[in-house]
Amino acid sequence: MAGEVRRRVAVFDDEEELSLAAAGLFALQARRATVSRGRCDVLLSGGETPRRCYLMLGAEPLVSSIPWGALHLFWGDERHVPHDDPRSNYGMALRTLLRRAPLGEAQVHPVPCAGTVQGDALAYEQELRNHFAPGPAAFDLCFLGLGEDGHTASLFPGTPALRERERWVCEVQVPSQRFDRITLTAPVLNASSVIVFLVTGGAKAPAVKEVLEGERDPQRVPAQLIEPTQGRVVWLLDRDAARLLSQTTR
Ligand code: 6PG
């Protein structure tokens, strides 16, 4: 229906089942995009939740079922730390997936983190604009996580990046965070064909309920900004993360 966000919620017994489902969605969308337009542009998420999924993608049987030569990997956000820092989202993907999938250097687009956070955000935006030129950003697949405070990517409650509608990439300086961050903005994330949230653990249950069933207040619950303009949203939850949802949402 016009204006209605296409959203599906799937609940899994545990993180292993959820990770397998996420990896399967990645492989399916990679094949579909490659068949339909010869390329698949993916936004990877950070944090800990996607780790198991990335390990599955880099191993059999999935690794040989994915058309890696047609893929370009980007990040929806990054901690502004060196790529060899254990907190780096790129570093986590490198250790779990990138070293095991047949990807050329030109296909992997880490967020630069060697300069100032402002300069690196501008540089990443330019890299994205060059990649999608002459058109707008249009990712085929976007993985996202959810924080206990309702943040997604590095769109944190009450920060200026939430209101950004022109820039594709913003620097994020949040007092509660131990490091600066760089994030793609909501309009760019929402330009994705398929957005997949991966959320596990009971600690996330209140945030999940707030995002999916709570009063709409994106400044307080930034994940509510994620409403793809043309695409669809899939929420992959384990039972603990879904425990507060009403039956109608599941
Ligand atoms: C980051 C992520 C962030 C993450 C959530 C959930 O850089 O931290 O991009 O948005 O997805 O904070 O993190 P966990 O998966 O570690 O719970």
Side-chain angles (χ1 to χ4, degrees):
M1 286 166 358
E4 182 77 15
V5 176
R6 290 187 296 148
R7 183 182 83 189
R8 182 166 69 86
V9 175
V11 181
F12 300 87
D13 283 341
D14 55 32
E15 181 176 69
E16 185 73 5
E17 266 196 25
L18 181 147
S19 301
L20 189 57
L25 276 174
F26 181 109
L28 180 63
Q29 189 61 4
R31 289 194 293 271
R32 278 180 176 163
T34 304
V35 166
S36 67
R37 67 189 198 92
R39 192 174 91 180
C40 180
D41 295 320
V42 178
L43 278 174
L44 295 179
S45 59
E48 286 307 307
T49 304
R51 181 185 292 273
R52 186 74 188 102
C53 171
Y54 295 170
L55 285 167
M56 289 175 176
L57 289 170
E60 293 301 353
L62 280 173
V63 71
S64 53
S65 74
I66 292 167
W68 294 104
L71 266 69
H72 282 268
L73 302 183
F74 297 82
W75 277 259
D77 74 318
E78 183 57 279
R79 294 91 179 271
H80 197 251
V81 296
H83 287 157
D84 60 0
D85 184 301
R87 298 167 297 185
S88 167
N89 288 337
Y90 165 74
M92 187 273 273
L94 182 66
R95 291 188 295 275
T96 54
L97 173 57
L98 304 182
R99 283 185 178 143
R100 305 155 72 214
L103 288 158
E105 195 175 329
Q107 294 176 259
V108 180
H109 308 262
V111 178
C113 291
T116 65
V117 66
Q118 292 82 1
D120 287 338
L122 289 171
Y124 204 51
E125 172 153 341
Q126 193 54 59
E127 181 166 358
L128 284 171
R129 288 183 181 276
N130 294 343
H131 182 76
F132 287 104
F139 287 96
D140 300 288
L141 176 65
C142 171
F143 272 2
L144 289 174
L146 180 70
E148 294 178 31
D149 60 358
H151 83 259
T152 191
S154 285
L155 297 170
F156 283 85
T159 54
L162 299 183
R163 298 182 191 280
E164 182 57 55
R165 293 294 174 270
E166 300 305 322
R167 292 179 65 183
W168 290 18
V169 183
C170 279
E171 61 277 1
V172 179
Q173 293 167 307
V174 186
S176 64
Q177 290 295 309
R178 301 181 297 285
F179 35 74
D180 292 344
R181 289 164 170 260
I182 287 174
T183 191
L184 269 58
T185 56
V188 177
L189 298 174
N190 284 331
S192 303
S193 298
V194 179
I195 298 174
V196 182
F197 278 92
L198 290 73
V199 189
T200 61
K204 302 282 180 76
V208 167
K209 184 166 183 68
E210 196 65 41
V211 174
L212 295 179
E213 297 181 352
E215 182 188 328
R216 182 163 171 69
D217 183 3
Q219 292 302 310
R220 186 175 58 83
V221 190
Q224 288 181 341
L225 286 170
I226 304 307
E227 295 178 321
T229 41
Q230 301 291 328
R232 60 191 175 91
V233 189
V234 180
W235 284 80
L236 304 182
L237 308 171
D238 71 359
R239 290 207 179 289
D240 292 338
R243 64 186 167 83
L244 298 178
L245 290 179
S246 62
Q247 281 307 318
T248 52
T249 302
R250 290 164 174 256

